[in-house]
């Protein structure tokens, strides 16, 4: 069990270094045996992260116990279980890692009481920020993997288990109650379940018939929508959900080249797309920017899905954003530093799109981010179109016409040009 805590600490460290997401580092890691338990510990620790850091700093526990507590993340998960769960730390009392934390229990509880008084709360759960609470209330989205099943079959399967299927999708999806679900009004292969619905151990997820994928992550493949037998490139593909979605929409025909520089993440893509039953994907370990557009093997490539690195500022549907928020609260990041980072990101994003434009038969290029900053969205699109007269914006009618949001009017001098952009 002590190895479980050490593994949890490693995952938190990787999240802090932005080397993955909770889902990728927990669900996608075959070394994590009890995925449900690990996922819960990581999420709950992140929810209380600011409080845990206050406790660690006030007690100086990491310095005092530096031989046993090899990282702040290890202290966070252990203190979380000791103070914020009924079971405490489920390790034998004589385990050194438990003993070193428990001998500070009285001081930690005293400091926790001070924090509650300072914030004017009585319950531990009241210490969680509103943003974290809102993240937990985001509906659970489930993409039907059409390689293995159909929407109708999956709906019938859940109904047999006692789930209530709502024919008319409610306007406020947060109103979905326990064991109720509906079909997404914009994406035909997406089902929506009540917040906190846990399907990580569900047989349909284990078998690959359904894929747990946020709605925003499902938009790019639908916007790209290559036809059967097409050739496509996913330029920044790992961990692979968007790639497997492309494959499903193409009905396992044609060919998709999936590029990623990170070999570990590419291995994850191979596992996830293999589980999904994809047979038309060629994973490539390398940079898309180093690919020769005139290479004969890419002569028929017409469709490009570009989801490059971004600030992640628009992530609201999972708890990964709490890592960034805590950093922002504790670091004196200047406006100049933020602007410089956004400039570096947008330069990279522009280079990815411009490289896709160089492929001789490029027909449809889909660019997506999880950012709220115009510097990474509207301004990137305007910049590449200004320098490439051969490409134009796709008409609204071909880009999910039922989705109302079309970008920031302020970025287009208040006119309706933004109507041709697609932004979530």
């Amino acid at each position: 069990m002590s190895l479980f805590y050490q593994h949890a600490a490693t995952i938190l460290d990787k999240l802090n270094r932005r080397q993955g997401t909770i889902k990728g580092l927990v669900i996608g890691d075959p070394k994590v045996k009890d995925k449900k338990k690990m996922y819960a510990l990581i999420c709950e620790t992140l929810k209380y992260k600011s409080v845990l850091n206050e406790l660690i700093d006030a007690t100086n526990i990491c310095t005092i116990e530096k031989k046993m507590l090899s990282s702040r993340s290890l202290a966070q998960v252990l203190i979380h279980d000791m103070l914020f769960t009924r079971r405490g730390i489920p390790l034998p009392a004589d385990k050194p890692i438990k003993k070193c934390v428990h001998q500070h229990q009285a001081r930690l509880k005293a400091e926790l009481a001070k924090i509650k008084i300072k914030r004017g709360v009585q319950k531990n759960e009241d210490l969680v920020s509103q943003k974290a609470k809102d993240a937990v209330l985001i509906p659970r989205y489930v993409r039907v993997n059409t390689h293995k099943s159909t929407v109708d079959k999956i709906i019938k399967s859940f109904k047999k288990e006692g789930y209530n299927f709502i024919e008319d999708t409610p306007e406020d999806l947060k109103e979905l109650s326990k064991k109720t679900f509906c079909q997404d009004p914009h994406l035909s292969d997406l089902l929506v379940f009540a917040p906190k619905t846990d399907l990580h151990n569900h047989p349909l997820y284990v078998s690959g018939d359904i894929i747990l994928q946020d709605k925003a992550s499902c938009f790019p493949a639908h916007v790209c929508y290559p036809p059967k037998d097409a050739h496509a490139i996913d330029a920044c593909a790992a961990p692979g959900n968007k790639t497997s979605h492309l494959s499903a929409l193409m009905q396992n025909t044609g060919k998709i080249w999936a590029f990623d520089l990170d070999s570990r993440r590419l291995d994850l893509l191979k596992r996830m797309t293999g589980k999904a039953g994809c047979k038309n994907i060629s994973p490539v370990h390398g940079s898309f920017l180093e690919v020769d557009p005139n290479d004969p093997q890419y002569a028929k490539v017409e469709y490009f899905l570009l989801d490059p690195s971004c600030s992640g500022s628009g992530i609201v549907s999972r708890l990964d954003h709490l890592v960034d928020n805590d950093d922002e609260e504790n670091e004196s990041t200047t406006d100049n530093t933020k602007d410089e980072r956004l400039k570096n990101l947008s330069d990279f994003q522009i280079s990815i799109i411009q490289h896709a434009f160089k492929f001789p038969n490029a027909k449809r290029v889909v660019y997506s981010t999880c950012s709220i900053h115009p510097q990474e969205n509207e301004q990137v699109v305007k910049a590449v179109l200004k320098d490439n007269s051969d490409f134009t914006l796709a008409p609204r009618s071909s880009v999910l016409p039922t989705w109302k949001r079309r970008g920031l009017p302020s970025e287009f001098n208040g006119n309706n040009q933004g109507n041709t952009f697609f932004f979530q």
Side-chain angles (χ1 to χ4, degrees):
M1 189 65 190
S2 59
L3 292 177
F4 177 83
Y5 284 109
Q6 290 168 358
H7 197 164
T10 299
I11 290 172
L12 286 174
D13 287 337
K14 288 181 178 180
L15 287 171
N16 288 329
R17 294 193 296 267
R18 297 168 179 79
Q19 293 179 335
T21 64
I22 299 174
K23 186 183 292 185
L25 294 172
V26 177
I27 308 302
D29 187 351
K31 294 180 181 179
V32 179
K33 302 304 179 184
D34 194 336
K35 298 183 186 299
K36 182 177 180 180
K37 188 173 183 180
M38 180 66 79
Y39 191 86
L41 176 58
I42 296 298
C43 289
E44 290 299 311
T45 300
L46 284 176
K47 283 165 59 179
Y48 287 99
K49 185 179 177 183
S50 63
V51 178
L52 292 168
N53 281 333
E54 282 189 56
L55 294 171
I56 291 169
D57 292 337
T59 59
N60 208 25
I61 188 173
C62 284
T63 302
I64 297 170
E65 304 293 346
K66 61 182 179 181
K67 290 184 178 180
M68 290 302 303
L69 299 178
S70 55
S71 70
R72 176 174 285 254
S73 296
L74 182 57
Q76 287 171 350
V77 292
L78 289 166
I79 295 172
H80 168 270
D81 272 9
M82 184 175 71
L83 298 183
F84 296 100
T85 66
R86 292 181 179 179
R87 71 177 185 277
I89 302 173
L91 291 172
D94 60 347
K95 279 284 185 179
I97 198 170
K98 182 174 181 176
K99 288 174 66 177
C100 87
V101 176
H102 262 257
Q103 64 186 6
H104 297 271
Q105 186 173 24
R107 175 76 189 283
L108 286 164
K109 284 185 175 181
E111 293 297 335
L112 180 59
K114 290 180 183 178
I115 293 173
K116 287 181 180 179
I117 293 171
K118 182 180 178 181
R119 299 191 184 184
V121 302
Q122 294 183 337
K123 300 178 181 179
N124 287 341
E125 50 265 34
D126 292 332
L127 293 169
V128 178
S129 69
Q130 189 58 47
K131 191 166 186 178
K133 291 177 182 177
D134 290 342
V136 176
L137 292 175
I138 294 295
R140 162 61 70 189
Y141 288 99
V142 172
R143 176 165 66 84
V144 175
N145 179 14
T146 53
H147 280 327
K148 295 192 172 186
S149 190
T150 66
V151 172
D152 287 343
K153 286 181 181 179
I154 296 299
I155 290 174
K156 289 178 182 177
S157 180
F158 276 110
K159 287 171 72 173
K160 284 182 181 178
E161 294 179 28
Y163 283 83
N164 179 33
F165 179 69
I166 301 175
E167 297 284 349
D168 297 322
T169 304
E171 288 188 16
D172 187 355
L173 294 175
K174 291 182 181 179
E175 294 178 0
L176 287 171
S177 58
K178 188 176 181 181
K179 298 211 79 170
T180 62
F181 72 113
C182 61
Q183 194 165 6
D184 185 81
H186 304 103
L187 306 178
S188 59
D189 55 0
L190 199 62
L191 301 176
V192 193
F193 288 75
K196 297 186 180 181
T197 301
D198 188 356
L199 299 171
H200 290 100
N201 292 324
H202 195 281
L204 290 174
Y205 172 72
V206 174
S207 66
D209 287 47
I210 62 172
I211 293 170
L212 306 183
Q213 186 172 353
D214 290 336
K215 182 172 181 174
S217 177
C218 294
F219 276 130
H222 270 284
V223 174
C224 192
Y225 221 123
K228 288 180 65 176
D229 299 315
H231 283 197
I233 282 179
D234 188 347
C236 312
N241 277 342
K242 294 182 184 70
T243 321
S244 68
H245 200 181
L246 276 180
S247 175
L249 295 175
M250 294 166 64
Q251 301 178 44
N252 246 341
T253 65
K255 190 167 185 177
I256 303 169
W257 284 271
F259 292 87
D260 207 276
L261 267 174
D262 189 323
S263 59
R264 181 192 62 82
R265 284 168 57 81
L266 193 69
D267 286 341
L268 176 58
L269 177 143
K270 293 175 182 177
R271 293 196 300 271
M272 292 184 71
T273 55
K275 176 184 175 182
C278 303
K279 299 177 181 178
N280 60 342
I281 297 172
S282 294
V284 182
H285 180 212
S287 171
F288 169 66
L289 289 173
E290 296 178 0
V291 175
D292 180 4
N294 295 310
D295 188 323
Q297 68 176 317
Y298 306 121
K300 295 181 181 180
V301 174
E302 295 180 318
Y303 297 84
F304 294 80
L305 197 160
L306 313 178
D307 187 46
S309 299
C310 71
S311 63
S313 53
I315 297 174
V316 294
S317 57
R318 56 175 184 258
L319 289 170
D320 299 271
H321 68 282
L322 295 183
V323 180
D324 293 327
N325 286 350
D326 193 70
D327 290 343
E328 290 171 5
E329 291 172 2
N330 291 299
E331 293 179 8
S332 56
T333 303
T334 65
D335 288 340
N336 287 339
T337 302
K338 178 182 175 182
D339 289 343
E340 182 181 354
R341 180 170 181 248
L342 289 176
K343 177 65 166 58
N344 291 335
L345 284 168
S346 63
D347 285 346
F348 172 70
Q349 293 153 359
I350 287 171
S351 69
I352 289 284
I353 302 174
Q354 289 178 332
H355 193 65
F357 286 172
K358 295 176 183 177
F359 285 72
N361 285 305
K363 180 178 181 180
R364 192 171 182 88
V365 177
V366 176
Y367 168 65
S368 66
T369 74
C370 47
S371 170
I372 62 172
H373 300 299
Q375 295 95 318
E376 299 179 272
N377 295 326
E378 292 93 342
Q379 292 177 21
V380 165
V381 175
K382 287 193 292 186
V384 296
L385 291 179
K386 181 180 178 181
D387 295 334
N388 295 273
S389 59
D390 290 339
F391 288 84
T392 61
L393 290 173
R396 182 187 184 117
S397 60
S398 72
V399 185
L400 297 175
T402 59
W403 186 259
K404 295 180 180 179
R405 180 70 182 268
R406 297 285 153 172
L408 298 175
S410 60
E411 287 298 312
F412 306 96
N413 300 318
N415 61 35
N416 289 326
Q417 287 182 357
N419 288 337
T420 55
F421 279 81
F422 173 75
F423 291 105
Q424 197 211 2

